[in-house]
Amino acid sequence: MIDLSVLTDNWSSYLEGFRNTIIASLLALIGSFILGVIVAVFRIAPSKVLNTLGAVYVEFFRNIPLLLVVYLFFLGLPALGLTLNGFISGTLGLMIYTSSYIAEAIRAGIRSVPSGQTEAARSSGLTYNQTMRYVVLPQAIKIVIPPISNQFLNLVKNSSILGVVAGLDLMYFGDIVNADTYDAVSSYVFVALFYLLLTFPLSFASRSLERRLAHSG
Amino acid sequence: MDFQSAYTPDHLSFLFQGFGLTLWLAFLAIIFSFLLGCVLGIVRYAKVPVVSPILTIFVETVRNLPLLLLILFARFGLPELGISFTPFWAAIVALTVFEAALISEIVRSGLNSVDKGLLEAGRSSGLTYVQTLKHIVLPIGLRRMVPPMVSQFISLLKDTSLVVIISIAELMHNANIVMGQDPDIVFPILILVAALYFAINYTLSVLARRLEVRV
């Protein structure tokens, strides 16, 4: 049923795809985290204009499909004269899309710190920045880590979107292997195993982290 | 950018047709994945010997795979194993299995959040296990599941766009065809498609937030 020669004959394709999936995920992970923090800061900053900008960003990208975000780069930009390849447009789309979820997770975490603490810190003479740094953020981080690690897991799975725009990732090469071998079951089962190699440790780590943080109070 | 030749009656009706299919696809997948997800979640919560561990392995595997891979597998892998669907039903099967795995997690953790004491109280006052689940644990747990469930349905609606890879005439597919005609209309079409997805998902998320406040 599953033909091992599909894997051995196409070993280099699978490996190249696996490597590109890891690179795209890492780039998008770093980028979406930085972007997510910036947008979260916008959303909680004491300025109505920044709040609104942040909210529009989050609501827009959370409510449209990832594929559409990728298409904005892959099909939309060329229409404006700037052509990006599948790998870059896929990674950029992934980064922007995920950043909206991360921003929301960070904002929810900060919100969950009782506002009495902020007021107490402010009235005892700390500045806004000091209050954030010494009182709010250390508590918020514990709440924020589980949803963020969950988003990273989603990001790795979602990186398969590169396959739709010829982004040379695992999904893309799996499809090529299928087209070459006419053995869809074997081709895709091996793709699945490569993904599980990445996602199982991630989801295991995220759960044990969640449990540990939940018990540390 | 040419908005005038992008939004012709022909293009618009073709795109709205696709949007109709997107909604139909999402509707069917929501119903099926909700039912399957509830069954999976309840059985995993109840810790039935042999069955629950097997379902756990199944759910964990599906949860950790990309949906795109499941769609391709349902479309091209299953027929090799002697199970054939039309592309439309292959998409439904993939969406249902993937989302049901995630919904079962929502159901399970919703049930787990119900105080164990209530379960014991139900049992010790003479109810059977099934009666306790049905009359005490489920009604309380269900209410807590509503907000994450709606978020999951929004995800599902967005995820239907991935079936573009197996060519079903939903919104993304029809948009691709229209955009292929003229580079000048690509941006206007993308904006319209975004507006359609946004309108329905944003409405759902506002609804979910209202429910959250009430629950």
Side-chain angles (χ1 to χ4, degrees):
Chain A
M1 201 166 74
I2 290 170
D3 187 353
L4 201 63
S5 71
V6 169
L7 178 66
T8 50
D9 290 350
N10 299 286
W11 185 244
S12 59
S13 294
Y14 278 117
L15 269 194
E16 189 179 346
F18 191 51
R19 198 196 62 196
N20 288 340
T21 286
I22 294 176
I23 295 174
S25 299
L26 277 178
L27 288 175
L29 195 146
I30 296 166
S32 63
F33 184 74
I34 295 172
L35 212 57
V37 170
I38 294 172
V39 175
V41 168
F42 269 45
R43 293 209 70 184
I44 56 160
S47 147
K48 256 259 135 47
V49 181
L50 292 186
N51 294 166
T52 312
L53 274 176
V56 168
Y57 181 93
V58 168
E59 291 300 343
F60 181 69
F61 288 112
R62 261 160 49 106
N63 285 303
I64 64 171
L66 167 62
L67 181 59
L68 195 56
V69 185
V70 172
Y71 273 178
L72 284 172
F73 288 101
F74 189 66
L75 302 172
L77 287 187
L80 302 177
L82 176 68
T83 304
L84 298 177
N85 67 31
F87 181 84
I88 294 177
S89 36
T91 307
L92 281 174
L94 199 56
M95 184 183 107
I96 302 251
Y97 179 81
T98 311
S99 70
S100 67
Y101 284 89
I102 289 179
E104 196 56 17
I106 294 174
R107 188 187 68 108
I110 290 173
R111 272 283 161 76
S112 69
V113 176
S115 59
Q117 297 203 16
T118 315
E119 286 153 21
R122 295 284 279 140
S123 65
S124 60
L126 294 184
T127 64
Y128 177 79
N129 285 338
Q130 285 173 327
T131 307
M132 274 291 162
R133 213 167 120 200
Y134 297 115
V135 180
V136 179
L137 288 182
Q139 299 183 69
I141 270 179
K142 261 193 220 172
I143 302 163
V144 162
I145 285 176
I148 286 189
S149 57
N150 219 356
Q151 282 314 319
F152 286 161
L153 175 64
N154 277 340
L155 188 152
V156 173
K157 290 195 289 171
N158 282 338
S159 71
S160 60
I161 198 80
L162 268 72
V164 181
V165 291
L168 307 181
D169 69 322
L170 198 45
M171 191 71 254
Y172 173 81
F173 278 112
D175 237 11
I176 302 256
V177 172
N178 174 36
D180 285 347
T181 59
Y182 299 109
D183 185 349
V185 173
S186 307
S187 318
Y188 292 138
V189 164
F190 293 126
V191 174
L193 290 178
F194 275 107
Y195 274 113
L196 293 178
L197 221 55
L198 289 177
T199 52
F200 265 142
L202 254 176
S203 76
F204 181 76
S206 114
R207 272 186 212 198
S208 59
L209 209 64
E210 196 166 349
R211 230 166 290 144
R212 211 177 325 149
L213 291 174
H215 289 307
S216 70
Chain B
M1 248 192 271
D2 188 347
F3 283 86
Q4 217 147 39
S5 51
Y7 301 154
T8 63
D10 269 2
H11 288 165
L12 290 179
S13 79
F14 189 57
L15 289 174
F16 277 104
Q17 240 169 29
F19 191 46
L21 195 72
T22 287
L23 294 180
W24 178 230
L25 201 62
F27 175 76
L28 289 177
I30 283 175
I31 306 267
F32 292 143
S33 62
F34 177 76
L35 295 175
L36 183 60
C38 282
V39 172
L40 290 173
I42 291 170
V43 174
R44 289 184 63 203
Y45 169 79
K47 298 208 171 78
V48 183
V50 187
V51 181
S52 295
I54 291 174
L55 290 185
T56 302
I57 294 171
F58 174 74
V59 166
E60 285 300 319
T61 308
V62 170
R63 250 168 52 90
N64 282 293
L65 288 174
L67 172 59
L68 208 47
L69 183 61
L70 297 180
I71 293 172
L72 286 168
F73 192 84
R75 175 75 181 91
F76 301 112
L78 288 184
E80 272 179 22
L81 301 173
I83 311 165
S84 276
F85 300 101
T86 61
F88 181 81
W89 283 97
I92 297 270
V93 167
L95 283 166
T96 298
V97 169
F98 181 78
E99 308 290 344
L102 298 171
I103 286 172
S104 82
E105 282 291 284
I106 295 171
V107 171
R108 198 177 61 100
S109 61
L111 293 177
N112 275 330
S113 75
V114 177
D115 191 354
K116 282 274 177 303
L118 288 173
L119 185 74
E120 285 156 19
R123 295 287 279 136
S124 64
S125 59
L127 296 181
T128 65
Y129 185 76
V130 176
Q131 283 174 328
T132 315
L133 272 191
K134 197 170 144 197
H135 298 295
I136 299 176
V137 181
L138 266 178
I140 299 173
L142 267 177
R143 247 182 288 164
R144 293 186 188 152
M145 294 170 209
V146 170
M149 204 75 95
V150 179
S151 303
Q152 196 54 48
F153 293 156
I154 293 173
S155 277
L156 192 158
L157 221 155
K158 293 192 292 174
D159 287 343
T160 58
S161 63
L162 294 178
V163 309
V164 77
I165 201 165
I166 58 170
S167 294
I168 296 162
E170 43 75 56
L171 180 55
M172 211 51 135
H173 172 266
N174 287 8
N176 263 341
I177 290 179
V178 173
M179 288 188 291
Q181 295 172 356
D182 177 3
D184 279 346
I185 65 173
V186 167
F187 233 95
I189 296 291
L190 285 176
I191 291 168
L192 178 66
V193 172
L196 288 176
Y197 277 112
F198 182 84
I200 183 101
N201 286 325
Y202 187 70
T203 312
L204 277 174
S205 69
V206 169
L207 219 81
R209 245 170 279 164
R210 283 245 180 96
L211 277 171
E212 201 165 354
V213 173
R214 205 173 317 159
V215 175

